[in-house]
């Protein structure tokens, strides 16, 4: 299974580790989307920034 992750809020006033997680996910601007594998590492990154992103499951 894959996850479509979309950035919905800006990271201007975010903590350093939140900004780093957004960048590590491959997001740069509000509205950017990426498709990632559903695994424990990705879920952990999403959990850190769950207030900033929207996640959808995509069937392969």
């Amino acid at each position: 299974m894959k996850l479509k992750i979309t950035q919905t809020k800006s990271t201007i006033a975010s903590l350093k580790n939140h900004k780093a997680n957004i960048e590590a996910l491959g997001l740069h601007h509000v509205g950017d989307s990426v498709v990632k594998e559903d695994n424990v590492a990705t879920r952990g990154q999403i959990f850190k920034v769950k207030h900033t992103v929207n996640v959808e499951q995509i069937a392969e």
Side-chain angles (χ1 to χ4, degrees):
M1 179 138 328
K2 293 193 176 204
L3 299 173
K4 180 181 179 187
I5 307 160
T6 306
Q7 184 176 349
T8 57
K9 292 187 179 177
S10 175
T11 58
I12 290 174
S14 297
L15 299 173
K16 283 184 181 180
N17 63 344
H18 292 179
K19 289 180 183 180
N21 274 317
I22 290 290
E23 188 176 327
L25 286 168
L27 302 169
H28 302 287
H29 305 287
V30 176
D32 279 358
S33 295
V34 293
V35 177
K36 298 279 187 175
E37 285 293 328
D38 186 8
N39 57 36
V40 178
T42 305
R43 289 282 181 163
Q45 288 177 324
I46 292 169
F47 184 77
K48 277 284 198 180
V49 294
K50 63 186 174 191
H51 59 281
T52 310
V53 297
N54 186 14
V55 180
E56 303 171 32
Q57 290 184 346
I58 299 175
E60 293 184 51

